[in-house]
Amino acid sequence: MASNPQYRGSALVPFVFALFLVVLTFATVYIFAARIWWFPPSITALGRAIDAQFMRTLWITGIVFFLAQLALAFVLVRYRDRGGRAHYSHGNNTMEILWTTATAILFVGLGVAAEGAWAAYHSQAPAANPLTVEITGKQFAWTFRYPGPDGQFGRTAPDLVNDAAGNPLGLDLNDPAAQDDIVTPVLGVPVNRDVVALLKTKDVTHDFFVRELRFKQDTVPGMTIRLQFRAEKPGSYEVVCAELCGLGHHRMRTELKVLPPEEFERWLAEQAAF
Ligand SMILES: [Cu+2]
């Protein structure tokens, strides 16, 4: 490549830009490696499977990111304007095939690796003695319903919904199965027991999200979405709506109480007394 020093571009721009890229790359890697903004520890086995998948993805994309950014910085300096003529390239079919294949293998591989964890949330075999809770979203609150001693959810009807009268779900008290249903504004669950959650919404799409459960699921109008989880650590965790659902979206939050079994029974009895 013939070069003519007379037409040489400034070396400052590519060097400064390359330096910026290198600093940016190392700073980004540092933020992840030092876990400066990280999520709270998971309290479910499924959550740990999700975390493992997250780390696999982060490692692979992290390595690709790191190498690609450094390669870009290198190319900026190596092929800076030295006053030569531009060279037209038709590309390289072998390289195209190679990196497309590599990307496809990575994406499909990560998808296959994630399948187990994802499927477990939705289609895991039913537990021997699960606790069933109905979770209903509305603008802008969560309401939880337990079937009570009979194990049956009673009938509800939209025209019976009356927040002021303390009937946010429209429970039909003429239905014997509804009479022992327990409706609460807080989600209490016993520790180490499978919980089957039936997710619903009364109005728009909401999203039930508890960080420690690694559990985030849209509630969709007209649908009941079944999910299950088993919390392993007693404590109080935040429940939020993770779908921008209206002006009051920011206050659509409540609490998940994971309680020892006896304490849970006591808590549930207290709620029933309301
Ligand atoms: Cu919402």
Side-chain angles (χ1 to χ4, degrees):
M1 191 162 45
S3 85
N4 186 344
Q6 202 185 333
Y7 301 113
R8 185 174 289 181
S10 160
L12 186 67
V13 174
F15 273 103
V16 169
F17 193 16
L19 181 70
F20 169 74
L21 272 180
V22 171
V23 170
L24 185 79
T25 304
F26 277 90
T28 307
V29 170
Y30 172 75
I31 286 168
F32 281 94
R35 302 195 168 193
I36 291 178
W37 292 288
W38 212 251
F39 21 75
S42 161
I43 56 163
T44 66
L46 273 177
R48 285 192 293 280
I50 299 268
D51 287 0
Q53 173 67 16
F54 179 86
M55 290 311 293
R56 275 194 288 275
T57 310
L58 191 61
W59 268 105
I60 291 171
T61 52
I63 290 168
V64 172
F65 168 80
F66 184 75
L67 295 178
Q69 295 302 305
L70 293 189
L72 184 57
F74 170 77
V75 166
L76 278 171
V77 171
R78 174 71 182 78
Y79 298 103
R80 66 183 184 275
D81 185 2
R82 290 188 165 96
R85 285 178 64 87
H87 163 72
Y88 184 74
S89 163
H90 282 283
N92 183 324
N93 283 341
T94 314
M95 292 297 281
E96 291 281 353
I97 290 166
L98 264 177
W99 63 54
T100 306
T101 310
T103 310
I105 290 171
L106 276 180
F107 269 87
V108 173
L110 280 172
V112 169
E115 195 64 26
W118 176 239
Y121 269 103
H122 294 273
S123 53
Q124 176 168 265
N129 179 28
L131 172 78
T132 306
V133 192
E134 183 194 74
I135 300 176
T136 306
K138 69 155 189 185
Q139 289 170 319
F140 299 98
W142 292 106
T143 308
F144 307 96
R145 177 159 69 130
Y146 300 82
D150 66 352
Q152 298 275 327
F153 284 113
R155 198 180 89 88
T156 57
D159 53 327
L160 296 174
V161 170
N162 189 337
D163 284 323
N167 192 358
L169 296 177
L171 215 54
D172 178 4
L173 291 177
N174 293 320
D175 177 14
Q179 283 161 14
D180 65 347
D181 284 9
I182 302 160
V183 176
T184 68
V186 163
L187 174 59
V189 300
V191 71
N192 289 325
R193 181 165 158 200
D194 281 353
V195 176
V196 171
L198 305 172
L199 285 135
K200 297 179 175 181
T201 170
K202 287 204 297 192
D203 39 48
V204 300
T205 301
H206 298 279
D207 191 293
F208 180 82
F209 181 32
V210 179
R211 293 176 305 168
E212 288 82 356
L213 297 178
R214 304 289 188 267
F215 187 116
K216 190 187 237 178
Q217 173 63 52
D218 274 6
T219 62
V220 181
M223 282 180 79
T224 299
I225 297 171
R226 181 189 175 284
L227 287 176
Q228 72 186 50
F229 64 89
R230 176 197 282 252
E232 294 168 348
K233 195 166 166 247
S236 169
Y237 309 96
E238 190 184 31
V239 174
V240 295
C241 174
E243 186 73 60
L244 189 54
C245 57
L247 281 177
H249 164 68
H250 65 281
R251 61 185 153 85
M252 189 168 168
R253 36 194 261 182
T254 181
E255 185 192 359
L256 162 68
K257 281 176 192 280
V258 179
L259 302 164
E262 330 73 62
E263 229 175 284
F264 169 73
E265 294 304 334
R266 216 175 317 134
W267 174 84
L268 197 59
E270 272 168 30
Q271 305 300 309
F274 260 111

